[in-house]
């Protein structure tokens, strides 16, 4: 068991390489790939493979599965929050939301996080480790298995910074998008970053059709550096420059996330600064009422200030929506469930 690899960690090309290395025709890789993403639990179930191939798969790999350790279900909006156990004993969270346009899963990309955003529960405890692409796939598969339904959309907005785990995240997107795999369209995948600027350039050059969301939360460097330490390394100017490159290369609209925090970034002055910054850009602003995190002093902005913030932005021609809050009564936000259960 020790030296075996989780077969879900393999890209299609890697699996093909394995098959060719075993002197077998390439099409066997396609068959294996299809079985994995049809969610078989053992290699024996891959009934169209020769026995010798099944045996060598058993020798070299295992089929990784995560364990559902806890689940909270909100009856009001049908949101489910899962605590999943990894094989090394670590736990992570993901949330399933029931939107009119399909079931949407919010997955974690790391166990913990090292971005240390002030208002976020995931920051507590720092980074434990990054997840593998196979583990991210299993978040989607385990939840789909549990509800007995296909998942339509994926957002990489759970715990962790996707661009701090860049290679595995890109591999995950390519595998989940593969026609012989789960075949989830890139347009149904959103990736959210706190603003690791060099990776935004890399991501633009990948020319994927995923939506890129940027956690902006302030248009002023002083405020942003205070609530998001990453801004001390990559300023708002550098971040916007990278977004402009992304838009130019992909011709895709960028989403800016902005969590409104009472008396920190929710004033008219803040809205005007944001409007001035984003005016004329191919973008969209998603205003998020802050989710109160226990032990943090930050409070959510009032409904009035959120509405007037939106009005000011629209005055600059910036398309703005207010995110509907799902699952707020089941800790379905930003590392809160893991925080409640975890021991480390
Ligand atoms: N590290 C990535 C993705 C994970 S966080 C990123 O920063 O984008 C997903 C989103 O939730 C980010 O926009 C993040 O800033 C936001 N968020 C974190 N804590 C929050 C809170 N308490 N209330 C509202 N949004 C929060």
């Amino acid at each position: 068991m020790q030296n075996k690899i989780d077969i879900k960690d393999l890209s299609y090309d890697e699996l093909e390489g394995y098959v060719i290395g075993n002197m077998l025709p390439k099409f066997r890789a396609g068959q294996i790939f299809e079985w994995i993403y049809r969610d078989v639990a053992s290699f024996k179930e891959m009934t169209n493979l020769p026995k010798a191939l099944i045996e060598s798969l058993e020798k070299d790999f295992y089929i990784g599965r995560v364990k559902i350790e806890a689940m909270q279900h909100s009856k009001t909006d049908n949101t489910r929050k899962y605590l999943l156990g990894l094989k090394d004993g670590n736990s992570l969270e993901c949330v399933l939301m029931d939107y009119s346009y399909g079931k949407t899963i919010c997955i974690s990309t790391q166990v913990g996080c090292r971005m240390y955003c002030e208002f976020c529960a995931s920051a507590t405890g720092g980074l434990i480790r990054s997840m593998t692409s196979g583990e991210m796939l299993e978040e989607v598969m385990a939840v789909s298995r549990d509800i007995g339904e296909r998942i339509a959309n994926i957002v990489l907005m759970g715990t962790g910074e996707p661009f701090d785990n860049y290679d595995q995240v890109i591999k995950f997107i390519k595998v989940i998008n593969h026609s012989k795999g789960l075949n989830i369209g890139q347009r149904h995948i959103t990736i959210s970053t706190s603003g690791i600027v060099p990776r935004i350039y890399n991501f633009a050059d990948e020319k994927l059709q995923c939506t890129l969301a940027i956690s902006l939360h302030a248009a002023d460097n002083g405020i942003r550096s205070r609530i998001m330490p990453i801004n001390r390394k990559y300023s708002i100017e550098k971040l916007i420059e990278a977004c402009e490159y992304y838009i130019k290369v992909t011709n895709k609209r960028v989403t800016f996330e902005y969590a409104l925090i009472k008396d920190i970034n929710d004033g008219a002055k803040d809205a005007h600064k944001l409007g001035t910054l984003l005016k004329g850009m191919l973008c969209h602003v998603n205003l998020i009422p802050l989710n109160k995190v226990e032990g943090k002093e930050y409070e959510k902005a009032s409904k009035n200030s959120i509405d007037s913030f939106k009005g000011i932005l629209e005055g600059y021609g910036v398309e703005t929506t207010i995110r509907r809050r799902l699952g707020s009564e089941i800790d379905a936000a930003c590392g809160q469930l893991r925080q409640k259960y975890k021991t480390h």
Side-chain angles (χ1 to χ4, degrees):
M1 183 76 189
Q2 281 311 354
N3 307 319
K4 290 189 189 182
I5 297 170
D6 183 355
I7 200 157
K8 286 180 184 155
D9 278 336
L10 263 55
S11 66
Y12 190 84
D13 291 349
E14 286 169 338
L15 194 56
E16 212 170 64
Y18 174 82
V19 165
I20 293 167
N22 278 277
M23 307 298 176
L24 290 164
K26 265 189 186 177
F27 75 90
R28 294 291 183 201
Q31 292 178 319
I32 300 168
F33 210 73
E34 278 173 358
W35 281 117
I36 301 169
Y37 296 103
R38 246 185 263 160
D39 204 20
V40 294
S42 72
F43 295 111
K44 286 203 175 54
E45 291 167 61
M46 302 184 172
T47 47
N48 55 359
L49 302 186
K51 197 159 164 271
L53 178 54
I54 292 180
E55 278 165 11
S56 67
L57 289 171
E58 281 172 339
K59 181 169 63 64
D60 296 324
F61 302 104
Y62 65 97
I63 303 176
R65 284 205 170 182
V66 298
K67 195 170 134 251
I68 297 177
E69 294 180 332
M71 199 272 282
Q72 295 179 353
H73 184 197
S74 157
K75 300 269 175 328
T76 45
D77 57 27
N78 205 22
T79 298
R80 286 163 199 262
K81 176 126 184 170
Y82 290 87
L83 189 75
L84 303 176
L86 302 173
K87 78 170 189 319
D88 64 358
N90 280 306
S91 302
L92 63 100
E93 294 175 37
C94 62
V95 183
L96 184 75
M97 292 156 293
D98 197 359
Y99 288 119
S100 56
Y101 50 85
K103 291 273 190 309
T104 301
I105 189 170
C106 174
I107 67 160
S108 292
T109 53
Q110 295 181 309
V111 181
C113 185
R114 57 172 173 177
M115 296 298 117
Y116 297 106
C117 299
E118 274 292 328
F119 47 83
C120 178
S122 302
T124 326
L127 177 69
I128 312 279
R129 71 166 173 89
S130 282
M131 287 167 60
T132 67
S133 64
E135 288 170 333
M136 290 181 248
L137 278 156
E138 247 302 287
E139 290 184 68
V140 180
M141 293 179 78
V143 170
S144 177
R145 195 179 299 135
D146 187 55
I147 60 167
E149 236 181 276
R150 185 180 186 274
I151 288 168
N153 309 290
I154 301 176
V155 298
L156 282 73
M157 287 192 188
T159 303
E161 166 51 51
F163 284 176
D164 189 34
N165 185 17
Y166 187 84
D167 293 343
Q168 291 298 313
V169 161
I170 297 297
K171 189 176 191 181
F172 161 76
I173 292 171
K174 289 184 178 162
V175 173
I176 208 153
N177 176 232
H178 201 283
S179 60
K180 289 189 192 301
L182 295 182
N183 200 8
I184 297 182
Q186 289 177 12
R187 286 195 170 77
H188 295 271
I189 302 173
T190 298
I191 181 161
S192 175
T193 179
S194 58
I196 301 186
V197 164
R199 297 286 91 78
I200 296 174
Y201 286 96
N202 296 147
F203 189 68
D205 293 335
E206 306 274 356
K207 303 220 169 46
L208 299 171
Q209 291 301 311
C210 308
T211 299
L212 178 64
I214 306 283
S215 298
L216 190 58
H217 306 319
D220 174 272
N221 277 316
I223 301 172
R224 193 164 190 270
S225 291
R226 193 169 127 210
I227 58 175
M228 299 182 72
I230 186 77
N231 196 70
R232 297 173 205 159
K233 187 153 185 198
Y234 305 112
S235 66
I236 293 174
E237 293 71 28
K238 293 258 176 307
L239 180 58
I240 296 296
E241 222 174 274
C243 292
E244 272 160 356
Y245 176 79
Y246 174 84
I247 294 166
K248 192 176 91 201
V249 168
T250 63
N251 208 16
K252 284 184 69 74
R253 187 175 77 153
V254 169
T255 298
F256 289 103
E257 292 158 278
Y258 196 106
L260 283 152
I261 313 172
K262 185 167 182 270
D263 298 335
I264 302 283
N265 64 0
D266 66 337
K269 195 166 140 249
D270 304 300
H272 283 292
K273 198 150 187 183
L274 184 61
T276 309
L277 181 71
L278 301 183
K279 190 174 162 56
M281 202 170 167
L282 184 63
C283 72
H284 170 99
V285 172
N286 202 352
L287 296 175
I288 314 161
L290 183 84
N291 259 301
K292 173 89 181 130
V293 174
E294 238 171 68
K296 303 255 182 185
E297 84 252 39
Y298 296 111
E299 298 292 335
K300 104 170 178 243
S302 69
K303 175 146 189 348
N304 270 350
S305 68
I306 298 176
D307 289 340
S308 59
F309 202 96
K310 180 173 190 274
I312 294 171
L313 281 183
E314 284 168 347
Y316 285 87
V318 177
E319 194 189 303
T320 309
T321 48
I322 299 173
R323 187 188 289 173
R324 195 157 66 94
R325 294 177 69 210
L326 293 182
S328 42
E329 83 274 26
I330 56 162
D331 303 319
C334 317
Q336 294 177 7
L337 187 69
R338 180 170 159 267
Q339 203 179 43
K340 209 180 253 182
Y341 280 82
K342 76 177 173 177
T343 45
H344 45 246

